[in-house]
Structures are given as C-alpha cells and as structure tokens.
Amino acid sequence: MPISTTTVELDGYDATPDFVYAVSLLAALESATGQEGHATVLPFLGMARAELTDFGQRRPAHYVPVQVGDLRAGMDELEQRITALLDRSAVLQHSLRLDSAHRLLRRGVAAVA
C-alpha cells in the first residue's frame, strides 16, 4: 500500500466519520467518571487522545454523542476503531500517531483487566 506524505485535511480539521466517531468515543470514555477503573485508564486515554489528534494538529470537525455503558467494552470498541483507522490510513504521519494511540490504549486496557 503506497503511503502519502501529504495531509488531506483542511486547516487541521478532519470530518471523516470514522475519525470523528473515534475521537467522540474517546471523549465519552474520558468523561465516564462513574465507571469502575476510570481513574486507572484516564491517563492512557489522555495520551491516546494526544496521539490520535496529533497533539491538536488534527482535530475532529465536530463531535457526535456517544453513550458509554461499560468502560471496558468502550475501550475495546475504541481499540477496534483505531485499528480500522490505522488499516486505512494513507498518511504516514497519521499512521504513526494511530499506532502510538493504539499501543497506549492497549496499555490502558491491560491496566483495567
């Protein structure tokens, strides 16, 4: 798969539905304060968000409402979505950031398990 080194977003905003949902899910997980294990995974979620958004250089064009019923299930879903984003990524910088976010998320999942 050829990897482009050019950025496809306009002014750092990404309206891709998969990216918007992943960042929205991550925000919902960060705000799920009543869930067991939340304090343990919160640092990993914050670091994963920083990587996913390229430290503020890649932002979702908007957020969508996401409900988190179970923290572990939400973490698993986010991991699957980031994996899917990584599989389809055509920009090297995004691929590197997604891979890092994925590794951080796996550490968070392991800490809760």
Side-chain angles (χ1 to χ4, degrees):
M1 168 177 83
I3 297 179
S4 170
T5 56
T6 59
T7 306
V8 294
E9 295 81 33
L10 178 64
D11 297 328
Y13 288 95
D14 189 341
T16 309
D18 293 335
F19 178 74
V20 168
Y21 187 84
V23 176
S24 296
L25 176 57
L26 203 154
L29 288 167
E30 287 178 321
S31 66
T33 57
Q35 300 275 342
E36 180 181 337
H38 182 262
T40 304
V41 300
L42 189 58
F44 296 104
L45 290 172
M47 290 183 287
R49 177 197 283 261
E51 291 292 345
L52 186 61
T53 60
D54 198 5
F55 291 90
Q57 294 180 43
R58 182 182 185 201
R59 298 173 297 277
H62 60 281
Y63 288 86
V64 294
V66 178
Q67 297 296 321
V68 175
D70 179 58
L71 184 68
R72 288 185 182 119
M75 296 279 291
D76 289 339
E77 180 184 356
L78 182 59
E79 182 181 356
Q80 292 169 3
R81 290 191 175 267
I82 289 176
T83 299
L85 284 169
L86 182 58
D87 289 343
R88 291 188 307 271
S89 178
V91 179
L92 180 58
Q93 180 177 343
H94 294 173
S95 297
L96 294 172
R97 295 292 184 184
L98 287 165
D99 182 59
S100 183
H102 185 258
R103 282 186 277 120
L104 288 164
L105 204 57
R106 293 210 33 88
R107 289 178 58 194
V109 168
V112 163

XYZ file of all heavy atoms in Angstrom:
859
model
N 0.845 -1.171 0.000
C 0.000 0.000 0.000
C 0.890 1.233 0.000
O 1.677 1.429 0.909
C -0.885 -0.037 1.247
C -1.597 1.268 1.513
S -2.703 1.234 2.922
C -1.564 1.523 4.258
N 0.778 2.084 -1.003
C 1.569 3.324 -1.016
C 1.073 4.279 0.060
O -0.127 4.381 0.306
C 1.340 3.887 -2.409
C 0.086 3.263 -2.883
C -0.029 1.931 -2.196
N 1.995 4.950 0.708
C 1.652 5.885 1.776
C 2.024 7.281 1.337
O 3.169 7.553 0.988
C 2.367 5.516 3.087
C 1.898 4.143 3.549
C 2.117 6.557 4.147
C 2.549 3.657 4.804
N 1.046 8.167 1.380
C 1.264 9.556 1.008
C 1.863 10.315 2.184
O 1.586 10.004 3.332
C -0.074 10.193 0.617
O 0.078 11.578 0.473
N 2.655 11.298 1.899
C 3.204 12.129 2.965
C 2.533 13.493 2.994
O 2.954 14.373 3.723
C 4.725 12.320 2.783
O 4.965 12.870 1.499
C 5.455 11.009 2.955
N 1.474 13.653 2.214
C 0.754 14.918 2.221
C -0.464 14.816 3.113
O -1.056 13.746 3.274
C 0.297 15.314 0.808
O -0.548 14.286 0.303
C 1.483 15.505 -0.116
N -0.860 15.925 3.709
C -2.017 15.958 4.586
C -3.261 16.233 3.750
O -3.241 17.054 2.851
C -1.842 17.058 5.646
O -0.600 16.840 6.310
C -2.955 17.037 6.659
N -4.347 15.570 4.063
C -5.563 15.713 3.291
C -6.596 16.609 3.967
O -7.590 16.967 3.382
C -6.205 14.335 2.990
C -5.298 13.545 2.077
C -6.500 13.578 4.256
N -6.405 16.974 5.222
C -7.365 17.788 5.943
C -7.174 19.260 5.632
O -6.105 19.704 5.257
C -7.228 17.597 7.464
C -7.577 16.210 7.934
C -6.431 15.260 7.731
O -5.272 15.679 7.832
O -6.685 14.096 7.450
N -8.221 20.018 5.822
C -8.193 21.453 5.623
C -8.026 22.121 6.976
O -8.865 21.945 7.859
C -9.482 21.920 4.934
C -9.623 23.408 4.685
C -8.537 23.879 3.712
C -10.999 23.706 4.136
N -6.954 22.849 7.178
C -6.702 23.592 8.411
C -6.704 22.709 9.655
O -7.062 23.155 10.732
C -7.714 24.720 8.582
C -7.599 25.748 7.473
O -6.479 25.959 6.959
O -8.632 26.334 7.110
N -6.360 21.454 9.528
C -6.255 20.577 10.685
C -7.550 19.926 11.116
O -7.556 19.126 12.031
N -8.673 20.265 10.490
C -9.956 19.657 10.851
C -10.232 18.466 9.954
O -10.069 18.530 8.748
C -11.095 20.678 10.739
C -11.046 21.699 11.842
C -10.426 22.917 11.644
C -11.593 21.424 13.085
C -10.363 23.850 12.658
C -11.526 22.347 14.112
C -10.907 23.565 13.894
O -10.837 24.473 14.906
N -10.637 17.371 10.569
C -10.908 16.138 9.847
C -12.375 15.775 10.063
O -12.794 15.529 11.193
C -9.994 15.031 10.360
C -10.053 13.767 9.529
O -11.027 13.582 8.769
O -9.122 12.959 9.637
N -13.156 15.766 9.007
C -14.582 15.453 9.097
C -14.887 14.003 8.747
O -16.047 13.616 8.655
C -15.376 16.379 8.176
N -13.855 13.179 8.586
C -14.055 11.766 8.276
C -14.901 11.129 9.382
O -14.535 11.213 10.561
C -12.701 11.044 8.176
O -11.852 11.763 7.296
C -12.873 9.611 7.712
N -16.030 10.502 9.024
C -16.926 9.950 10.057
C -16.250 8.993 11.034
O -16.525 9.040 12.238
C -17.999 9.225 9.244
C -17.993 9.906 7.929
C -16.564 10.327 7.684
N -15.342 8.141 10.559
C -14.664 7.193 11.451
C -13.764 7.919 12.449
O -13.720 7.560 13.629
C -13.852 6.185 10.651
C -14.727 5.259 9.826
O -15.900 5.057 10.203
O -14.241 4.753 8.806
N -13.057 8.933 11.991
C -12.189 9.700 12.884
C -13.030 10.478 13.894
O -12.730 10.479 15.093
C -11.295 10.651 12.085
C -10.406 11.501 12.935
C -9.287 10.966 13.559
C -10.695 12.844 13.138
C -8.468 11.751 14.363
C -9.886 13.637 13.929
C -8.769 13.092 14.550
N -14.084 11.128 13.421
C -14.965 11.902 14.304
C -15.553 10.995 15.382
O -15.564 11.344 16.565
C -16.075 12.611 13.499
C -17.156 13.167 14.409
C -15.483 13.723 12.639
N -16.013 9.803 14.995
C -16.594 8.890 15.974
C -15.540 8.402 16.966
O -15.811 8.327 18.171
C -17.273 7.697 15.299
C -18.012 6.856 16.309
C -19.295 7.199 16.706
C -17.406 5.755 16.898
C -19.963 6.458 17.669
C -18.063 5.003 17.853
C -19.347 5.356 18.232
O -19.997 4.620 19.197
N -14.346 8.080 16.490
C -13.289 7.603 17.392
C -12.936 8.661 18.431
O -12.816 8.351 19.626
C -12.052 7.195 16.592
N -12.785 9.903 18.013
C -12.462 10.972 18.960
C -13.637 11.234 19.889
O -13.453 11.470 21.087
C -12.017 12.255 18.222
C -11.780 13.389 19.200
C -10.751 11.995 17.417
N -14.855 11.142 19.382
C -16.042 11.324 20.218
C -16.152 10.208 21.258
O -16.478 10.465 22.427
C -17.304 11.362 19.352
O -17.292 12.467 18.485
N -15.887 8.977 20.846
C -15.894 7.848 21.783
C -14.821 8.027 22.836
O -15.053 7.790 24.025
C -15.700 6.534 21.034
C -15.599 5.256 21.875
C -16.830 5.075 22.752
C -15.403 4.043 20.965
N -13.646 8.468 22.422
C -12.569 8.702 23.370
C -12.981 9.774 24.394
O -12.764 9.612 25.591
C -11.309 9.131 22.622
C -10.005 8.893 23.347
C -8.887 8.747 22.353
C -9.684 9.972 24.317
N -13.615 10.842 23.937
C -14.087 11.894 24.846
C -15.144 11.355 25.801
O -15.143 11.691 26.994
C -14.638 13.068 24.047
N -16.036 10.502 25.306
C -17.057 9.901 26.164
C -16.426 9.001 27.216
O -16.847 8.981 28.373
C -18.060 9.123 25.317
N -15.397 8.260 26.827
C -14.688 7.404 27.790
C -13.983 8.249 28.841
O -13.965 7.900 30.024
C -13.687 6.502 27.067
C -14.292 5.365 26.252
C -13.251 4.745 25.340
C -14.906 4.319 27.167
N -13.409 9.364 28.423
C -12.747 10.249 29.385
C -13.738 10.824 30.389
O -13.376 11.069 31.539
C -12.025 11.387 28.655
C -10.777 10.953 27.941
C -10.120 12.091 27.187
O -10.827 12.924 26.590
O -8.874 12.133 27.204
N -14.964 11.028 29.974
C -15.955 11.627 30.873
C -16.780 10.599 31.641
O -17.665 10.966 32.397
C -16.880 12.565 30.094
O -17.666 11.830 29.184
N -16.491 9.320 31.475
C -17.225 8.256 32.168
C -16.686 8.069 33.580
O -16.239 6.991 33.959
C -17.141 6.961 31.371
N -16.770 9.119 34.382
C -16.123 9.134 35.693
C -16.714 8.153 36.690
O -16.038 7.747 37.622
C -16.167 10.542 36.305
O -17.529 10.978 36.379
C -15.357 11.517 35.472
N -17.953 7.742 36.510
C -18.565 6.828 37.465
C -18.225 5.374 37.224
O -18.592 4.513 38.019
N -17.529 5.082 36.186
C -17.213 3.705 35.826
C -16.038 3.169 36.646
O -15.076 3.887 36.912
C -16.850 3.625 34.342
C -17.944 4.087 33.420
C -18.947 2.994 33.114
O -18.674 1.813 33.307
N -20.102 3.393 32.638
N -16.124 1.902 37.003
C -15.038 1.264 37.748
C -13.789 1.186 36.882
O -13.843 0.796 35.713
C -15.451 -0.150 38.156
C -14.379 -0.882 38.946
C -14.798 -2.289 39.326
O -16.002 -2.561 39.379
O -13.900 -3.107 39.558
N -12.650 1.596 37.412
C -11.384 1.561 36.697
C -11.096 2.831 35.914
O -10.049 2.940 35.278
N -11.993 3.803 35.979
C -11.832 5.031 35.195
C -10.545 5.757 35.564
O -9.816 6.212 34.676
C -13.037 5.954 35.391
C -12.957 7.192 34.585
N -12.510 8.378 35.108
C -13.238 7.427 33.282
C -12.527 9.300 34.161
N -12.971 8.756 33.043
N -10.258 5.870 36.838
C -9.049 6.589 37.266
C -7.786 5.901 36.742
O -6.790 6.572 36.454
C -9.010 6.684 38.785
N -7.839 4.605 36.590
C -6.682 3.858 36.103
C -6.429 4.105 34.625
O -5.282 4.260 34.208
C -6.888 2.343 36.337
O -7.152 2.125 37.725
C -5.670 1.551 35.920
N -7.489 4.166 33.823
C -7.322 4.297 32.373
C -7.270 5.746 31.895
O -6.843 6.002 30.769
C -8.420 3.548 31.588
C -8.391 2.074 31.908
C -9.780 4.136 31.830
N -7.680 6.696 32.738
C -7.744 8.089 32.295
C -6.418 8.615 31.745
O -6.404 9.256 30.695
C -8.265 8.980 33.421
C -8.591 10.414 33.027
C -9.624 10.448 31.914
C -9.078 11.195 34.232
N -5.272 8.356 32.392
C -4.009 8.838 31.809
C -3.728 8.244 30.424
O -3.248 8.945 29.538
C -2.939 8.391 32.808
C -3.665 8.145 34.079
C -5.049 7.725 33.692
N -4.055 6.973 30.228
C -3.838 6.328 28.928
C -4.770 6.916 27.869
O -4.374 7.093 26.718
C -4.035 4.818 29.039
C -3.034 4.164 29.941
C -3.396 3.751 31.214
C -1.722 3.982 29.543
C -2.475 3.164 32.055
C -0.789 3.387 30.374
C -1.167 2.990 31.643
N -6.006 7.212 28.275
C -6.943 7.842 27.345
C -6.453 9.222 26.931
O -6.526 9.592 25.758
C -8.332 7.945 27.979
C -9.094 6.644 28.170
C -10.353 6.879 28.991
C -9.434 6.016 26.836
N -5.946 9.982 27.876
C -5.427 11.317 27.557
C -4.250 11.263 26.609
O -4.165 12.053 25.661
N -3.343 10.328 26.865
C -2.189 10.192 25.970
C -2.612 9.700 24.594
O -2.095 10.150 23.573
C -1.153 9.245 26.594
C -0.458 9.841 27.824
S 0.837 8.767 28.514
C -0.135 7.474 29.273
N -3.586 8.764 24.555
C -4.086 8.270 23.274
C -4.773 9.395 22.502
O -4.619 9.510 21.292
C -5.053 7.106 23.490
N -5.513 10.249 23.203
C -6.163 11.380 22.535
C -5.111 12.318 21.936
O -5.252 12.785 20.806
C -7.037 12.164 23.494
C -7.671 13.388 22.814
C -8.187 14.396 23.808
N -9.422 14.021 24.396
C -10.603 14.476 24.002
N -10.676 15.308 22.992
N -11.701 14.110 24.607
N -4.055 12.589 22.686
C -2.995 13.475 22.184
C -2.382 12.897 20.908
O -2.136 13.628 19.943
C -1.927 13.690 23.248
N -2.152 11.612 20.887
C -1.592 10.981 19.695
C -2.603 10.959 18.549
O -2.262 11.278 17.415
C -1.131 9.552 20.002
C 0.068 9.474 20.904
C 1.351 9.978 20.275
O 1.416 10.150 19.041
O 2.308 10.204 21.025
N -3.838 10.593 18.853
C -4.863 10.495 17.822
C -5.098 11.837 17.138
O -5.299 11.903 15.934
C -6.159 9.978 18.440
C -7.321 9.681 17.509
C -6.941 8.594 16.515
C -8.532 9.250 18.313
N -5.049 12.896 17.911
C -5.288 14.231 17.339
C -3.989 14.928 16.971
O -3.998 16.122 16.679
C -6.074 15.105 18.333
O -5.318 15.244 19.533
C -7.442 14.528 18.610
N -2.887 14.186 16.985
C -1.587 14.733 16.603
C -1.281 15.990 17.411
O -0.842 17.006 16.880
C -1.530 15.004 15.104
C -0.114 15.155 14.577
O 0.840 14.952 15.355
O 0.039 15.473 13.394
N -1.534 15.896 18.712
C -1.273 16.983 19.652
C -1.929 18.285 19.201
O -1.346 19.353 19.221
C 0.233 17.158 19.879
C 0.833 16.005 20.624
C 1.337 14.916 19.927
C 0.868 15.987 21.999
C 1.881 13.834 20.612
C 1.402 14.900 22.686
C 1.905 13.829 21.996
N -3.211 18.162 18.777
C -4.003 19.326 18.407
C -3.875 19.751 16.960
O -4.571 20.671 16.524
N -3.032 19.109 16.196
C -2.881 19.485 14.786
C -3.943 18.834 13.905
O -4.219 19.311 12.812
C -1.490 19.093 14.290
C -0.387 19.876 14.968
C 0.966 19.461 14.441
O 1.159 19.285 13.252
N 1.922 19.302 15.343
N -4.537 17.764 14.380
C -5.610 17.084 13.643
C -6.811 17.031 14.579
O -6.798 16.341 15.589
C -5.157 15.677 13.264
C -6.171 14.907 12.457
C -5.640 13.513 12.163
N -6.535 12.780 11.282
C -6.541 11.469 11.200
N -5.700 10.756 11.915
N -7.376 10.873 10.392
N -7.831 17.785 14.258
C -8.986 17.883 15.132
C -10.232 17.385 14.412
O -10.355 17.538 13.202
C -9.192 19.342 15.556
C -8.009 19.877 16.352
C -8.141 21.363 16.628
N -8.143 22.209 15.436
C -7.050 22.618 14.796
N -5.870 22.255 15.220
N -7.135 23.399 13.735
N -11.181 16.810 15.189
C -12.434 16.427 14.544
C -13.203 17.686 14.154
O -13.166 18.690 14.876
C -13.162 15.631 15.624
C -12.599 16.139 16.904
C -11.166 16.508 16.613
N -13.889 17.648 13.035
C -14.669 18.794 12.585
C -15.838 19.049 13.532
O -16.308 20.174 13.655
C -15.174 18.557 11.168
N -16.282 18.006 14.214
C -17.363 18.103 15.195
C -17.315 16.830 16.047
O -16.524 15.931 15.783
C -18.715 18.234 14.493
C -19.038 17.067 13.606
N -18.486 16.922 12.343
C -19.832 15.987 13.790
C -18.938 15.806 11.795
N -19.739 15.218 12.654
N -18.139 16.800 17.067
C -18.265 15.609 17.901
C -19.665 15.048 17.732
O -20.604 15.779 17.419
C -18.027 15.936 19.381
C -16.586 16.233 19.710
C -16.065 17.514 19.567
C -15.741 15.237 20.160
C -14.741 17.788 19.862
C -14.411 15.499 20.456
C -13.923 16.774 20.308
O -12.607 17.038 20.594
N -19.814 13.754 17.952
C -21.123 13.115 17.927
C -21.394 12.558 19.318
O -20.464 12.187 20.033
C -21.197 12.000 16.859
C -21.071 12.569 15.463
C -20.152 10.926 17.096
N -22.661 12.512 19.724
C -22.967 11.968 21.052
C -22.727 10.460 21.096
O -23.154 9.725 20.202
C -24.447 12.305 21.251
C -24.985 12.615 19.904
C -23.842 13.015 19.034
N -22.022 10.035 22.116
C -21.716 8.609 22.299
C -21.995 8.264 23.758
O -21.547 8.972 24.666
C -20.233 8.300 21.975
C -19.923 6.843 22.226
C -19.896 8.693 20.551
N -22.733 7.206 23.982
C -23.022 6.731 25.331
C -22.074 5.584 25.683
O -21.868 4.687 24.870
C -24.478 6.238 25.431
C -25.505 7.311 25.196
C -25.453 8.394 26.256
O -25.249 8.115 27.436
N -25.616 9.635 25.837
N -21.526 5.640 26.875
C -20.625 4.581 27.343
C -21.318 3.858 28.485
O -21.443 4.393 29.578
C -19.270 5.159 27.812
C -18.403 4.053 28.393
C -18.568 5.859 26.678
N -21.781 2.643 28.201
C -22.435 1.848 29.226
C -21.443 1.087 30.085
O -21.633 0.935 31.285
N -20.365 0.646 29.461
C -19.349 -0.141 30.161
C -17.978 0.333 29.695
O -17.701 0.362 28.492
C -19.535 -1.630 29.856
C -18.495 -2.491 30.535
O -18.393 -2.445 31.782
O -17.767 -3.202 29.819
N -17.142 0.692 30.646
C -15.821 1.242 30.324
C -14.977 0.264 29.518
O -14.378 0.629 28.511
C -15.093 1.649 31.610
C -13.747 2.327 31.429
C -13.928 3.701 30.794
C -13.036 2.459 32.768
N -14.941 -0.990 29.942
C -14.105 -1.973 29.236
C -14.603 -2.217 27.816
O -13.811 -2.320 26.878
C -14.060 -3.277 30.022
C -13.233 -3.150 31.271
C -13.068 -4.464 31.999
N -12.307 -4.251 33.199
C -12.745 -4.486 34.419
N -13.961 -4.968 34.598
N -11.988 -4.262 35.470
N -15.916 -2.305 27.652
C -16.467 -2.503 26.305
C -16.173 -1.287 25.431
O -15.843 -1.432 24.250
C -17.973 -2.755 26.386
N -16.261 -0.102 26.009
C -15.940 1.114 25.267
C -14.474 1.165 24.868
O -14.136 1.583 23.755
N -13.606 0.743 25.773
C -12.173 0.701 25.461
C -11.903 -0.297 24.336
O -11.114 -0.007 23.434
C -11.366 0.309 26.711
C -11.436 1.290 27.848
S -10.337 2.678 27.677
C -8.753 1.911 27.889
N -12.567 -1.447 24.389
C -12.398 -2.446 23.329
C -12.887 -1.905 21.988
O -12.232 -2.097 20.958
C -13.145 -3.737 23.677
C -12.496 -4.508 24.812
O -11.294 -4.290 25.076
O -13.195 -5.326 25.440
N -14.038 -1.215 22.006
C -14.562 -0.651 20.759
C -13.613 0.403 20.199
O -13.351 0.440 18.997
C -15.938 -0.036 20.977
C -16.503 0.553 19.695
C -17.829 1.261 19.881
O -18.389 1.261 20.996
O -18.301 1.833 18.888
N -13.080 1.253 21.088
C -12.151 2.284 20.633
C -10.897 1.653 20.041
O -10.399 2.094 19.004
C -11.785 3.227 21.777
C -10.849 4.370 21.421
C -11.442 5.254 20.329
C -10.535 5.203 22.658
N -10.414 0.603 20.668
C -9.232 -0.087 20.136
C -9.510 -0.637 18.734
O -8.691 -0.500 17.823
C -8.821 -1.216 21.069
C -7.577 -1.939 20.616
C -7.185 -3.085 21.538
O -7.828 -3.299 22.583
O -6.217 -3.776 21.178
N -10.690 -1.219 18.532
C -11.055 -1.749 17.218
C -11.164 -0.633 16.185
O -10.730 -0.782 15.044
C -12.377 -2.502 17.300
C -12.290 -3.778 18.100
C -13.665 -4.367 18.387
O -14.680 -3.856 17.942
N -13.692 -5.443 19.160
N -11.726 0.488 16.581
C -11.882 1.614 15.649
C -10.531 2.220 15.269
O -10.315 2.588 14.121
C -12.816 2.657 16.231
C -14.247 2.150 16.261
C -15.225 3.230 16.576
N -16.567 2.730 16.487
C -17.332 2.797 15.402
N -16.868 3.344 14.299
N -18.565 2.338 15.418
N -9.635 2.323 16.245
C -8.300 2.852 15.938
C -7.548 1.878 15.037
O -6.850 2.299 14.113
C -7.522 3.171 17.229
C -8.139 4.405 17.898
C -6.047 3.400 16.937
C -7.526 4.782 19.224
N -7.712 0.592 15.270
C -7.100 -0.411 14.399
C -7.619 -0.268 12.968
O -6.848 -0.315 12.008
C -7.376 -1.833 14.925
O -6.812 -1.953 16.232
C -6.780 -2.891 14.011
N -8.931 -0.062 12.826
C -9.518 0.117 11.493
C -9.000 1.395 10.836
O -8.693 1.407 9.644
C -11.040 0.145 11.591
N -8.883 2.471 11.620
C -8.332 3.711 11.081
C -6.894 3.504 10.616
O -6.483 4.011 9.573
C -8.385 4.827 12.133
C -9.733 5.474 12.392
C -9.646 6.360 13.642
C -10.181 6.285 11.195
N -6.137 2.771 11.399
C -4.740 2.504 11.057
C -4.641 1.677 9.774
O -3.802 1.959 8.914
C -4.042 1.786 12.214
C -2.570 1.460 12.058
C -1.765 2.725 11.812
C -2.056 0.763 13.300
N -5.516 0.705 9.626
C -5.509 -0.133 8.424
C -5.802 0.673 7.160
O -5.303 0.345 6.085
C -6.524 -1.265 8.547
C -6.098 -2.322 9.555
O -4.902 -2.355 9.926
O -6.974 -3.097 9.984
N -6.614 1.716 7.277
C -7.000 2.518 6.116
C -6.197 3.800 5.970
O -6.391 4.545 5.021
C -8.482 2.879 6.209
C -9.403 1.694 6.028
C -10.840 2.118 5.940
N -11.298 2.953 7.034
C -11.817 2.518 8.174
N -11.937 1.234 8.384
N -12.227 3.354 9.099
N -5.288 4.072 6.889
C -4.540 5.321 6.859
C -3.614 5.386 5.646
O -2.878 4.449 5.363
C -3.710 5.477 8.137
O -2.960 6.663 8.097
N -3.669 6.521 4.947
C -2.831 6.703 3.768
C -1.773 7.774 3.995
O -0.972 8.049 3.118
C -3.692 7.084 2.570
N -1.754 8.360 5.182
C -0.802 9.423 5.501
C 0.156 8.883 6.564
O -0.276 8.465 7.644
C -1.524 10.697 6.005
C -0.527 11.783 6.349
C -2.517 11.191 4.963
N 1.429 8.886 6.265
C 2.422 8.306 7.167
C 2.349 8.906 8.570
O 2.357 8.173 9.562
C 3.829 8.487 6.593
C 4.968 7.933 7.437
C 4.788 6.442 7.701
C 6.301 8.200 6.768
N 2.265 10.199 8.688
C 2.207 10.851 9.998
C 0.995 10.360 10.793
O 1.107 10.070 11.974
C 2.138 12.361 9.839
C 2.065 13.106 11.175
C 2.065 14.614 10.976
O 2.420 15.110 9.923
N 1.672 15.327 11.999
N -0.151 10.229 10.139
C -1.343 9.728 10.822
C -1.158 8.273 11.232
O -1.576 7.881 12.324
C -2.562 9.867 9.934
C -2.926 11.284 9.647
N -3.896 11.618 8.755
C -2.460 12.464 10.126
C -4.019 12.921 8.691
N -3.140 13.458 9.507
N -0.529 7.491 10.376
C -0.291 6.082 10.701
C 0.573 5.947 11.947
O 0.293 5.121 12.818
C 0.383 5.368 9.530
O -0.454 5.375 8.406
N 1.608 6.747 12.030
C 2.485 6.691 13.208
C 1.742 7.095 14.468
O 1.893 6.473 15.524
C 3.705 7.582 12.988
C 4.654 7.143 11.878
C 5.716 8.213 11.634
C 5.285 5.810 12.210
N 0.924 8.147 14.371
C 0.147 8.619 15.531
C -0.914 7.594 15.925
O -1.133 7.346 17.112
C -0.513 9.961 15.230
C 0.466 11.083 15.012
C 1.177 11.427 16.280
N 2.038 12.587 16.057
C 2.837 13.075 16.949
N 2.913 12.533 18.139
N 3.591 14.113 16.691
N -1.574 7.005 14.953
C -2.581 5.987 15.245
C -1.960 4.769 15.907
O -2.524 4.205 16.848
C -3.308 5.584 13.958
C -4.294 6.595 13.403
C -4.651 6.248 11.965
C -5.535 6.666 14.267
N -0.790 4.363 15.431
C -0.095 3.221 16.032
C 0.264 3.514 17.482
O 0.078 2.676 18.360
C 1.154 2.879 15.226
C 1.870 1.677 15.788
O 1.245 0.595 15.864
O 3.043 1.814 16.170
N 0.736 4.706 17.740
C 1.082 5.086 19.110
C -0.164 5.127 19.993
O -0.148 4.649 21.132
C 1.789 6.438 19.106
O 2.178 6.791 20.406
N -1.261 5.695 19.480
C -2.514 5.742 20.237
C -3.006 4.329 20.530
O -3.476 4.037 21.639
C -3.571 6.521 19.458
N -2.871 3.438 19.558
C -3.283 2.052 19.732
C -2.472 1.375 20.847
O -3.024 0.687 21.701
C -3.117 1.292 18.408
C -3.618 -0.101 18.464
N -2.779 -1.174 18.590
C -4.868 -0.598 18.422
C -3.487 -2.274 18.633
N -4.766 -1.956 18.524
N -1.168 1.588 20.841
C -0.321 0.988 21.883
C -0.681 1.528 23.259
O -0.745 0.771 24.241
C 1.150 1.219 21.582
C 1.679 0.258 20.501
C 3.178 0.359 20.292
N 3.439 1.486 19.389
C 4.173 2.541 19.690
N 4.745 2.635 20.859
N 4.347 3.505 18.818
N -0.927 2.826 23.369
C -1.306 3.423 24.648
C -2.646 2.876 25.130
O -2.829 2.593 26.319
C -1.371 4.941 24.533
C -0.023 5.636 24.407
C -0.194 7.060 23.908
C 0.697 5.620 25.749
N -3.581 2.723 24.211
C -4.886 2.195 24.567
C -4.787 0.759 25.058
O -5.444 0.378 26.026
C -5.807 2.274 23.359
C -7.285 2.312 23.658
C -7.613 3.489 24.561
C -8.076 2.395 22.390
N -3.930 -0.037 24.420
C -3.743 -1.425 24.863
C -3.165 -1.471 26.276
O -3.519 -2.340 27.056
C -2.838 -2.180 23.891
C -3.549 -2.333 22.545
C -3.232 -3.526 21.733
N -2.909 -4.773 22.333
C -3.814 -5.701 22.679
N -5.074 -5.479 22.514
N -3.430 -6.843 23.177
N -2.283 -0.524 26.578
C -1.754 -0.457 27.957
C -2.859 -0.118 28.941
O -2.896 -0.654 30.052
C -0.627 0.561 28.038
C 0.637 0.088 27.333
C 1.751 1.094 27.354
N 2.130 1.471 28.721
C 2.869 2.510 29.011
N 3.324 3.302 28.040
N 3.191 2.787 30.252
N -3.769 0.762 28.540
C -4.900 1.103 29.395
C -5.842 -0.063 29.608
O -6.296 -0.309 30.716
N -6.102 -0.812 28.536
C -6.958 -1.996 28.640
C -6.316 -3.022 29.574
O -6.981 -3.617 30.415
C -7.218 -2.606 27.241
C -7.844 -3.991 27.343
C -8.097 -1.678 26.410
N -5.008 -3.209 29.441
C -4.293 -4.161 30.297
C -4.326 -3.723 31.761
O -4.423 -4.556 32.667
C -2.861 -4.325 29.834
N -4.263 -2.409 31.999
C -4.286 -1.912 33.379
C -5.632 -2.134 34.045
O -5.701 -2.351 35.261
C -3.949 -0.412 33.387
N -6.715 -2.119 33.268
C -8.053 -2.314 33.814
C -8.372 -3.799 33.982
O -9.136 -4.170 34.847
C -9.099 -1.624 32.910
C -10.487 -2.113 33.182
C -9.036 -0.140 33.105
N -7.783 -4.636 33.157
C -8.092 -6.074 33.188
C -7.586 -6.721 34.413
O -7.624 -6.791 35.422
C -7.458 -6.771 32.011
